[in-house]
Amino acid sequence: MRRRQLLSYGAISLLTPWPNLLRASEGASPWLAPATSQSGQFKLAPQASQWQLAPELPSTDIWTYAENSFSPVISVQQGDTLDVQVTNKLMESTSVHWHGIRVPNNMDGVPGISQPPIAPGESFNYQFKVDDAGTYWFHPHINSTEQLGRGLVGALVVQESSYPVDRDEVILLNDWLVDEELNIIDQFSSPRDMSHDGRFGNVITVNGKYRPTFHLRPNERVRFRFINGATARIFRPSLPQQVKAYIIAIDGHPIEPKPYTGQLLAPGMRCDIVVDAGSTASETVMGDTAYEPTGICRWLVSGQAVRSAPLTNPPPRLSDNPIAKPDLNRAIDLELRLDGGAMTMAMMKGMQSGQYWYLNDQQIDQDTLLNKPLMSLQLHQSYRMKIVNNTRFAHPMHLHGHTFQILQDIPYWTDTALVMPGQTTEIAFVADNPGIWMLHCHVVGHQASGMMASIEVV
Ligand SMILES: [Cu+2]
């Protein structure tokens, strides 16, 4: 009975009372401590594990970075050196890509391009200085449809020297495609998913938990860091109108704080919001309104007040990260055309090759990414790139190694540009990080069927 209710929860509207079907999980994700305080080194061990999506339900076999845990949070200070020892306890090769944060090429975690794959039983040490503060995440960059689909995701939080909130919480969003026994359905690359909008799950979780509860105290100011770690689903985390919340960062980078009205987050995308808990005991359901509205988690305000009165000032603007600004007067123009997928002529060809997508009319073969970059960019040169989506589907296009601006009325920094069907998005950046970098759609089924190319910066 419970199980069926869990599987059909997608139909529950935000307007319905919070269903009291299950004992709620605690929402907060575990923040990893360094293995020893002297070394400051973190340890990740990708492995098969078991995980309960909700209390009282059977556990699910997942893949995770730590035993009996899901989506660990690694937190470091801006300017520190991140040091992570990854020991592969899976039966297949893996790697760790640090999504959104600028790293040297040999730390980018793309097997065959920036490092050898980490074979079963082997270790790899990721070590790099973190110049940018903000909310980032990590995941494998090999067999991505399956490795992400089974749960290999984690959060990377880079702290500013100080920011005036009482608490900092990660909300890593996922969806899981499970059967009635809560086993992950192990079809990760179906032609239908890959040629349409990717593999959607039927259970949405926050930090791996179905509809968990966060506990807040009266007058508390909390920073929530949303991360979309799903393989295909777009989220729009939404709050009831009476909640006082500000959005302060998009994809790790500061924006002018403004009231939060819901941010579209495609796979790979993040945003930071600051919430004021209110001065009395209350219950708030946070929903997702990207598709059919549904509740995703809630917070309860109770207990002793953090301060005698609520804070009334808006949260301050975060300091900008040290990213070189593109010079638009001298920028070289580039174009990236996205084609293919279901409901196009290219689909017929795709049915034979298993590759459904085209970048600049080329069917990108995974083996030639290294030898044949789609574009060759000059080091320190500014570029303006038009991303033209000629397909019927949305594509969050992610560039490694660089942070770029979305050119619009108020430009903002990001690493992932969500380009809607039929739309064109203009981005600009300085090619200031030498190496071969992936440029791909973060719907991982698209990435795996033609929508990943490399660019070189030399
Ligand atoms: Cu795509």
Side-chain angles (χ1 to χ4, degrees):
M1 186 62 184
R2 284 209 177 95
R3 218 172 285 165
R4 188 157 311 125
Q5 281 160 333
L6 174 65
L7 288 172
S8 64
Y9 82 112
I12 297 168
S13 140
L14 258 185
L15 302 171
T16 60
W18 190 260
N20 217 5
L21 306 175
L22 303 160
R23 189 156 54 82
S25 327
E26 190 55 46
S29 216
W31 290 48
L32 269 191
T36 68
S37 53
Q38 284 86 13
S39 71
Q41 188 182 63
F42 294 93
K43 290 191 185 296
L44 296 178
Q47 61 192 276
S49 187
Q50 293 205 317
W51 180 251
Q52 270 181 295
L53 296 173
E56 299 163 24
L57 288 180
S59 58
T60 297
D61 290 324
I62 67 165
W63 291 359
T64 172
Y65 281 113
E67 202 177 344
N68 301 319
S69 167
F70 173 78
S71 72
V73 181
I74 290 179
S75 172
V76 286
Q77 283 288 324
Q78 183 176 21
D80 280 1
T81 295
L82 177 65
D83 182 354
V84 185
Q85 182 79 15
V86 180
T87 303
N88 183 5
K89 295 184 175 175
L90 296 169
M91 303 292 280
E92 65 179 60
S93 292
T94 191
S95 73
V96 178
H97 167 62
W98 308 92
H99 181 120
I101 195 152
R102 298 176 299 147
V103 298
N105 195 252
N106 62 352
M107 294 288 118
D108 195 39
V110 180
I113 306 275
S114 67
Q115 65 167 90
I118 312 172
E122 286 186 358
S123 293
F124 189 91
N125 184 213
Y126 292 94
Q127 219 177 64
F128 54 87
K129 187 164 167 279
V130 282
D131 293 327
D132 301 331
T135 303
Y136 306 94
W137 66 299
F138 56 92
H139 58 78
H141 223 284
I142 179 170
N143 189 20
S144 296
T145 50
E146 178 166 7
Q147 295 200 4
L148 272 80
R150 289 194 187 277
L152 283 176
V153 292
L156 173 61
V157 170
V158 182
Q159 304 277 1
E160 306 82 14
S161 55
S162 72
Y163 193 70
V165 287
D166 299 310
R167 200 141 51 93
D168 205 331
E169 295 283 5
V170 166
I171 294 193
L172 193 142
L173 297 159
N174 269 95
D175 64 350
W176 305 79
L177 185 58
V178 293
D179 63 18
E180 297 238 333
E181 304 300 314
L182 296 182
N183 298 311
I184 292 177
I185 296 173
D186 60 0
Q187 194 185 24
F188 296 98
S189 308
S190 83
R192 195 200 175 278
D193 287 347
M194 292 206 292
S195 63
H196 289 72
D197 47 8
R199 180 177 182 270
F200 270 55
N202 47 12
V203 175
I204 293 173
T205 58
V206 164
N207 299 332
K209 298 157 201 164
Y210 170 72
R211 292 191 158 184
T213 298
F214 291 86
H215 294 277
L216 273 57
R217 286 162 57 194
N219 299 337
E220 193 175 22
R221 180 167 271 191
V222 183
R223 177 176 182 170
F224 286 108
R225 301 166 181 268
F226 292 107
I227 301 170
N228 184 348
T231 54
R233 182 185 290 270
I234 296 173
F235 289 96
R236 184 195 279 118
S238 299
L239 293 169
Q241 224 167 16
Q242 69 272 21
V243 173
K244 254 182 80 189
Y246 297 86
I247 180 167
I248 59 165
I250 295 176
D251 294 331
H253 301 280
I255 60 164
E256 199 57 44
K258 59 180 183 185
Y260 180 71
T261 55
Q263 178 77 8
L264 215 50
L265 300 179
M269 297 169 82
R270 295 89 61 206
C271 72
D272 292 24
I273 72 168
V274 168
V275 165
D276 286 317
S279 50
T280 52
S282 62
E283 174 182 0
T284 296
V285 173
M286 192 181 283
D288 169 47
T289 57
Y291 307 95
E292 186 76 14
T294 182
I296 50 174
C297 65
R298 68 172 175 176
W299 70 72
L300 297 177
V301 179
S302 64
Q304 173 113 40
V306 168
R307 55 181 59 79
S308 56
L311 295 173
T312 51
N313 56 319
R317 193 188 203 281
L318 292 156
S319 301
D320 284 330
N321 285 314
I323 305 162
K325 255 201 165 142
D327 178 350
L328 293 180
N329 294 318
R330 296 180 172 192
I332 294 176
D333 286 313
L334 302 168
E335 190 173 66
L336 181 68
R337 294 184 306 280
L338 320 179
D339 286 284
M343 295 178 273
T344 63
M345 294 299 284
M347 188 63 193
M348 299 304 287
K349 252 166 96 183
M351 293 303 285
Q352 284 142 31
S353 63
Q355 298 286 300
Y356 301 99
W357 306 95
Y358 294 80
L359 295 173
N360 288 357
D361 305 319
Q362 295 179 50
Q363 186 113 67
I364 308 290
D365 175 42
Q366 300 292 298
D367 297 331
T368 64
L369 288 176
L370 180 63
N371 303 323
K372 226 181 111 192
L374 191 67
M375 298 172 191
S376 184
L377 311 187
Q378 303 160 35
L379 190 61
H380 302 307
Q381 170 67 44
S382 291
Y383 289 91
R384 176 170 33 214
M385 184 190 284
K386 250 187 201 159
I387 307 177
V388 185
N389 184 353
N390 296 320
T391 79
R392 304 289 190 94
F393 300 92
H395 302 288
M397 299 304 295
H398 173 50
L399 174 62
H400 289 206
H402 295 78
T403 301
F404 55 80
Q405 274 188 326
I406 302 273
L407 297 180
Q408 55 175 40
D409 296 349
I410 303 172
Y412 64 93
W413 295 107
T414 177
D415 49 77
T416 307
L418 176 58
V419 192
M420 302 307 278
Q423 301 285 304
T424 295
T425 298
E426 260 195 303
I427 69 169
F429 61 100
V430 182
D432 58 359
N433 201 352
I436 292 177
W437 302 103
M438 295 301 107
L439 171 60
H440 67 87
C441 178
H442 225 287
V443 173
V444 292
H446 295 175
Q447 173 190 344
S449 59
M451 227 174 219
M452 177 157 73
S454 67
I455 61 167
E456 64 175 353
V457 177
V458 285

